[in-house]
Amino acid sequence: MARDMATATGTGTRDLAEWAAERGVKYFMVSYTDLFGGQRAKLAPAAAINDMAADGAGFAGFATWLDLTPAHPDMLAVPDPASAIQLPWKPEVAWLASNCVMDGADLAQAPRNVLRRQIEKAAELGLHVKTGVEPEFFLLSPDGAELSDAYDTAAKPCYDQQAVMRRCDVIAEISDCMLGLGWEPYQSDHEDANGQFEMNWKYDNVLATADKHSFFKFMTRS
């Protein structure tokens, strides 16, 4: 389930159909992130993924938050093979970060394209950028109406070990997934607000970290 390192600008060349066959992957989530951080995807069978890696998956860009209108042509999400991650909790599915393309050119405002341009500018200056993130999230009841832990009521709940242990099942499961993916997670804690948690993993190349962060949000919500 390990994720191969992405190249600096997200242009991997892996044969995805072969990769899928080796790992028992039947479907791919061809995913991109919009301007509000929303994650959008199409589910593609592994038998079709190499064509999609070459030509992209078609989206009506105006239907998501990308500052487009119905007058714009269809957008293509071209998956980056180097970003492929097999879902630890559903291994017959894999996830792919994608670069948004319109009329044969990168869609300028798509977040991953913005980052790739900055990576290229840094490289021109002889810089190689690495980053780490400290993602935080709340654990809520299934209907989202209240915290999942009714006992998480302390006035200063930060680092509360009992609160961590009461939700250890969820935190440990996410951490186990990151360990299996080779991300090298190193600590998790209860944060400043009731119901709030933080999880950390090792820094990486800036594009790899961004892709991992996108996948982390998907994984944690799942």
Side-chain angles (χ1 to χ4, degrees):
M1 294 186 292
R3 175 201 192 282
D4 291 16
M5 289 291 293
T7 58
T9 56
T11 53
T13 57
R14 171 190 292 146
D15 185 311
L16 286 170
E18 181 179 311
W19 183 88
E22 291 172 353
R23 291 161 176 79
V25 170
K26 297 179 181 179
Y27 289 93
F28 286 87
M29 298 290 293
V30 181
S31 176
Y32 69 90
T33 302
D34 70 19
L35 290 169
F36 286 178
Q39 294 179 291
R40 314 292 181 157
K42 282 192 172 182
L43 187 68
I49 196 61
N50 277 351
D51 288 340
M52 210 157 290
D55 301 325
F59 289 83
F62 72 90
T64 68
W65 299 110
L66 283 172
D67 196 23
L68 298 170
T69 73
H72 284 91
D74 279 353
M75 184 191 77
L76 296 171
V78 181
D80 178 359
S83 73
I85 301 176
Q86 189 172 7
L87 274 56
W89 68 96
K90 196 172 180 65
E92 67 270 28
V93 179
W95 177 90
L96 287 163
S98 303
N99 301 319
C100 297
V101 174
M102 185 177 288
D103 279 343
D106 286 345
L107 183 66
Q109 67 268 32
R112 197 171 194 265
N113 291 340
V114 173
L115 177 58
R116 291 166 63 221
R117 287 200 304 274
Q118 296 306 310
I119 293 170
E120 291 172 355
K121 290 179 180 179
E124 291 170 0
L125 299 172
L127 301 175
H128 182 70
V129 183
K130 296 188 177 186
T131 57
V133 291
E134 296 185 350
E136 299 175 2
F137 54 92
F138 288 85
L139 293 178
L140 306 176
S141 60
D143 62 3
E146 56 190 13
L147 300 181
S148 65
D149 179 5
Y151 298 99
D152 193 348
T153 58
K156 283 187 175 289
C158 198
Y159 313 125
D160 186 328
Q161 67 179 5
Q162 295 303 125
V164 171
M165 288 307 298
R166 286 195 298 270
R167 296 319 326 263
C168 183
D169 54 342
V170 178
I171 303 301
E173 183 176 1
I174 297 168
S175 189
D176 286 345
C177 288
M178 291 194 285
L179 286 165
L181 292 168
W183 290 12
E184 299 184 53
Y186 58 88
Q187 63 184 20
S188 304
D189 65 78
H190 193 293
E191 275 296 311
D192 293 295
N194 299 117
Q196 184 183 31
F197 296 85
E198 177 183 305
M199 301 185 73
N200 308 132
W201 64 86
K202 187 178 179 179
Y203 67 89
D204 204 340
N205 297 318
V206 60
L207 187 64
T209 293
D211 288 343
K212 288 176 181 179
H213 191 198
S214 293
F215 185 80
F216 177 84
K217 291 193 290 184
F218 171 43
M219 175 168 62
T220 302
R221 288 168 177 155
S222 296

